[in-house]
mmCIF file of all heavy atoms in Angstrom:
data_model
loop_
_atom_site.group_PDB
_atom_site.id
_atom_site.type_symbol
_atom_site.label_atom_id
_atom_site.label_comp_id
_atom_site.label_asym_id
_atom_site.label_seq_id
_atom_site.Cartn_x
_atom_site.Cartn_y
_atom_site.Cartn_z
ATOM 1 N N GLU B 268 23.471 45.239 45.708
ATOM 2 C CA GLU B 268 24.861 45.386 46.266
ATOM 3 C C GLU B 268 25.750 46.213 45.285
ATOM 4 O O GLU B 268 26.425 47.168 45.659
ATOM 5 C CB GLU B 268 25.595 44.019 46.389
ATOM 6 C CG GLU B 268 25.448 43.382 47.808
ATOM 7 C CD GLU B 268 26.012 42.107 47.868
ATOM 8 O OE1 GLU B 268 27.142 41.868 47.322
ATOM 9 O OE2 GLU B 268 25.437 41.220 48.514
ATOM 10 N N TRP B 269 25.580 45.869 44.055
ATOM 11 C CA TRP B 269 26.431 46.729 42.939
ATOM 12 C C TRP B 269 25.931 48.101 42.872
ATOM 13 O O TRP B 269 26.811 49.039 42.783
ATOM 14 C CB TRP B 269 26.239 46.047 41.635
ATOM 15 C CG TRP B 269 27.186 46.709 40.558
ATOM 16 C CD1 TRP B 269 28.469 46.231 40.496
ATOM 17 C CD2 TRP B 269 26.917 47.761 39.649
ATOM 18 N NE1 TRP B 269 28.977 47.116 39.437
ATOM 19 C CE2 TRP B 269 28.070 48.008 38.895
ATOM 20 C CE3 TRP B 269 25.779 48.498 39.440
ATOM 21 C CZ2 TRP B 269 28.146 49.013 38.081
ATOM 22 C CZ3 TRP B 269 25.834 49.520 38.600
ATOM 23 C CH2 TRP B 269 27.162 49.792 37.805
ATOM 24 N N ALA B 270 24.755 48.342 42.994
ATOM 25 C CA ALA B 270 24.106 49.694 42.903
ATOM 26 C C ALA B 270 24.702 50.473 44.057
ATOM 27 O O ALA B 270 25.140 51.671 43.871
ATOM 28 C CB ALA B 270 22.546 49.658 43.125
ATOM 29 N N LYS B 271 24.872 49.875 45.277
ATOM 30 C CA LYS B 271 25.372 50.542 46.418
ATOM 31 C C LYS B 271 26.913 50.833 46.238
ATOM 32 O O LYS B 271 27.320 52.010 46.441
ATOM 33 C CB LYS B 271 25.188 49.640 47.628
ATOM 34 C CG LYS B 271 25.282 50.334 48.979
ATOM 35 C CD LYS B 271 24.952 49.363 50.091
ATOM 36 C CE LYS B 271 25.380 49.976 51.456
ATOM 37 N NZ LYS B 271 25.260 48.966 52.524
ATOM 38 N N SER B 272 27.582 49.884 45.698
ATOM 39 C CA SER B 272 29.051 50.018 45.575
ATOM 40 C C SER B 272 29.307 51.045 44.444
ATOM 41 O O SER B 272 30.383 51.793 44.533
ATOM 42 C CB SER B 272 29.753 48.585 45.212
ATOM 43 O OG SER B 272 29.278 48.120 44.043
ATOM 44 N N ALA B 273 28.614 51.126 43.479
ATOM 45 C CA ALA B 273 28.756 52.017 42.418
ATOM 46 C C ALA B 273 28.238 53.435 42.690
ATOM 47 O O ALA B 273 28.554 54.365 41.929
ATOM 48 C CB ALA B 273 28.106 51.539 41.070
ATOM 49 N N GLY B 274 27.660 53.641 43.759
ATOM 50 C CA GLY B 274 26.985 54.903 44.156
ATOM 51 C C GLY B 274 25.859 55.375 43.364
ATOM 52 O O GLY B 274 25.583 56.569 43.157
ATOM 53 N N ALA B 275 25.037 54.437 43.041
ATOM 54 C CA ALA B 275 23.788 54.757 42.348
ATOM 55 C C ALA B 275 22.840 55.311 43.280
ATOM 56 O O ALA B 275 22.666 54.802 44.467
ATOM 57 C CB ALA B 275 23.236 53.476 41.577
ATOM 58 N N GLU B 276 22.025 56.324 42.846
ATOM 59 C CA GLU B 276 20.997 56.973 43.736
ATOM 60 C C GLU B 276 19.824 55.966 43.859
ATOM 61 O O GLU B 276 19.293 55.769 45.065
ATOM 62 C CB GLU B 276 20.375 58.227 43.004
ATOM 63 C CG GLU B 276 21.215 59.406 43.557
ATOM 64 C CD GLU B 276 20.494 60.740 42.985
ATOM 65 O OE1 GLU B 276 19.697 60.605 41.981
ATOM 66 O OE2 GLU B 276 20.866 61.837 43.583
ATOM 67 N N ASN B 277 19.412 55.351 42.791
ATOM 68 C CA ASN B 277 18.346 54.345 42.850
ATOM 69 C C ASN B 277 18.453 53.492 41.705
ATOM 70 O O ASN B 277 19.258 53.702 40.648
ATOM 71 C CB ASN B 277 16.883 54.935 42.923
ATOM 72 C CG ASN B 277 16.756 55.968 41.812
ATOM 73 O OD1 ASN B 277 16.842 55.473 40.683
ATOM 74 N ND2 ASN B 277 16.388 57.041 41.936
ATOM 75 N N HIS B 278 17.775 52.396 41.698
ATOM 76 C CA HIS B 278 17.808 51.441 40.550
ATOM 77 C C HIS B 278 16.276 50.873 40.350
ATOM 78 O O HIS B 278 15.670 50.583 41.418
ATOM 79 C CB HIS B 278 18.798 50.380 40.604
ATOM 80 C CG HIS B 278 18.555 49.335 41.661
ATOM 81 N ND1 HIS B 278 19.003 49.501 42.880
ATOM 82 C CD2 HIS B 278 17.942 48.109 41.612
ATOM 83 C CE1 HIS B 278 18.610 48.439 43.669
ATOM 84 N NE2 HIS B 278 18.030 47.593 42.798
ATOM 85 N N THR B 279 15.936 50.561 39.071
ATOM 86 C CA THR B 279 14.641 50.070 38.852
ATOM 87 C C THR B 279 14.784 48.798 37.903
ATOM 88 O O THR B 279 15.566 48.940 36.860
ATOM 89 C CB THR B 279 13.838 51.180 37.903
ATOM 90 O OG1 THR B 279 13.991 52.438 38.597
ATOM 91 C CG2 THR B 279 12.311 50.814 37.985
ATOM 92 N N ILE B 280 14.115 47.781 38.162
ATOM 93 C CA ILE B 280 14.204 46.594 37.347
ATOM 94 C C ILE B 280 12.964 46.802 36.494
ATOM 95 O O ILE B 280 11.807 46.733 36.950
ATOM 96 C CB ILE B 280 14.089 45.357 38.121
ATOM 97 C CG1 ILE B 280 15.373 45.158 39.138
ATOM 98 C CG2 ILE B 280 14.023 44.056 37.305
ATOM 99 C CD1 ILE B 280 15.354 44.039 40.002
ATOM 100 N N VAL B 281 13.226 46.803 35.173
ATOM 101 C CA VAL B 281 12.273 47.024 34.088
ATOM 102 C C VAL B 281 11.622 45.782 33.708
ATOM 103 O O VAL B 281 12.429 44.760 33.415
ATOM 104 C CB VAL B 281 12.883 47.805 32.996
ATOM 105 C CG1 VAL B 281 11.733 47.972 31.904
ATOM 106 C CG2 VAL B 281 13.500 49.053 33.360
#
Side-chain angles (χ1 to χ4, degrees):
Chain B
E268 269 178 36
W269 188 83
K271 200 175 167 187
S272 64
E276 271 188 339
N277 59 54
H278 71 274
T279 320
I280 298 175
V281 181

